[in-house]
Amino acid sequence: MSANYIRFLGTGAGDFHAAVPDVCGEDCNYKRALNLGGKNIRRATSMFIWPDIVVDFGETSREQLSVFGIPELSIRHIVISHGHYDHFNPSKILEFASLRNEPLEIYGALPIQTALNFAAAHRWNPQTFRFEAQSQENNCRFHEVIPEKPFRLGDVEVIPVLSSHFIDKAHLVVEQQALNFIFRRGSHTMFYNLDSSYLLPETMDYLSRFQFDILIMDATFGDLKIDPLQSGHHNFAMLDETIEEFRGRKMLKPQTRIVYSHLSTCEVPPHDEVAGKMAEKGIILAYDGMTLEF
Ligand SMILES: [Zn+2]
Ligand SMILES: [Zn+2]
């Protein structure tokens, strides 16, 4: 593989493989995917950006680095979108950081730092149903990131933007600040929309300054009808609208690669069954291990 690429380490949603065994019926998408194996298995959302960045780091990220032959000690920067368990596993990150001499650099909103410090100082006792104090090594160096304030990781510029995710919409309560990211390297620009529902107006306005080479969109619920008030994600119909808005605002190039990821294993059929149909519509359905030049 030549330089300047991204690799999907996991393309699942909250029901990623390994997280929720045996949740559905006999002939469910989850079990068919398990039987098919390969590209049909969706692990926790995580993405490698060459040479040393991982975006979102969940339960399965470390083993996926090894599956795809990426040396774990080459990773220096972990960028976290938000604190849901399928994107952020504090114990796994502390364990990963402890392998290194130098601190592991972590970038995210403040609740990410709070959660890492909490996980280092506590363990759960399932017998007493209480937390117990512990002191685990914490070899992470945290960097708070702010929406629309760019920062640089080597030759990659990162611009966090506010996501519409992790919000109790009915009560207008932001439960945790969730971030999406614009990544830029040279003349290449990518939008990482995991996780997200319909974009916030200020985010859409900010994104309108750019033309994107790659869009990685939250497509969690596939063809399932959902109530947007109750969900922090898109289904395919909502994404059609969002992509159309990107097009209307001239944010796409003729060759823009539109990628759907964060795919519910229960709701989006196995890759082998739907990727072809999506390709006819000009959509790339992501799978674990997929690489794109960036
Ligand atoms: Zn998620
Ligand atoms: Zn989430």
Side-chain angles (χ1 to χ4, degrees), residues 82 84 86-87 165-166 195 233 262:
H82 64 295
H84 275 146
D86 53 325
H87 299 248
H165 187 69
F166 224 153
D195 290 347
H233 301 283
H262 198 269

Side-chain angles (χ1 to χ4, degrees), residues 15 31 33 65 69 85 87 102 125 149 152 161 188 197 248 289-290 294:
D15 59 353
K31 289 199 179 126
L65 284 170
Y85 71 94
H87 299 248
E102 298 291 302
N125 183 328
K149 285 243 169 79
R152 194 161 266 287
V161 290
H188 287 83
S197 183
M290 185 173 92
F294 172 68

Side-chain angles (χ1 to χ4, degrees), residues 78-95:
I78 306 276
V79 179
I80 299 290
S81 61
H82 64 295
H84 275 146
Y85 71 94
D86 53 325
H87 299 248
F88 175 59
N89 187 311
S91 303
K92 294 280 183 185
I93 291 174
L94 292 170
E95 177 190 292

Side-chain angles (χ1 to χ4, degrees), residues 10 24 31 42 47 51 58 68 70 96 101 124 148 165 183 211 230 248 266 277 283 292:
C24 358
K31 289 199 179 126
R42 299 177 182 134
M47 185 178 81
F68 300 125
I70 301 164
F96 191 66
N101 297 324
W124 174 249
E148 301 181 16
H165 187 69
F183 294 100
Q211 277 203 317
Q230 302 299 335
C266 291
K277 273 182 272 179
I283 305 293
L292 290 174

Side-chain angles (χ1 to χ4, degrees), residues 4-64:
N4 294 3
Y5 70 99
I6 59 170
R7 186 153 203 178
F8 290 82
L9 302 175
T11 57
D15 59 353
F16 65 89
H17 281 107
V20 194
D22 276 345
V23 283
C24 358
E26 261 318 297
D27 185 42
C28 64
N29 289 325
Y30 194 93
K31 289 199 179 126
R32 286 209 312 288
L34 264 186
N35 289 334
L36 288 165
K39 292 178 181 175
N40 303 287
I41 305 296
R42 299 177 182 134
R43 304 275 188 193
T45 282
S46 192
M47 185 178 81
F48 170 70
I49 302 178
W50 188 89
D52 55 8
I53 304 168
V54 171
V55 186
D56 288 332
F57 196 102
E59 184 184 332
T60 52
S61 299
R62 187 176 167 197
E63 69 191 65
Q64 293 291 81

Side-chain angles (χ1 to χ4, degrees), residues 201-219:
E202 63 268 39
T203 297
M204 191 53 111
D205 286 344
Y206 191 87
L207 292 174
S208 300
R209 305 172 183 194
F210 302 94
Q211 277 203 317
F212 293 93
D213 299 278
I214 301 176
L215 298 181
I216 300 170
M217 304 302 292
D218 175 336

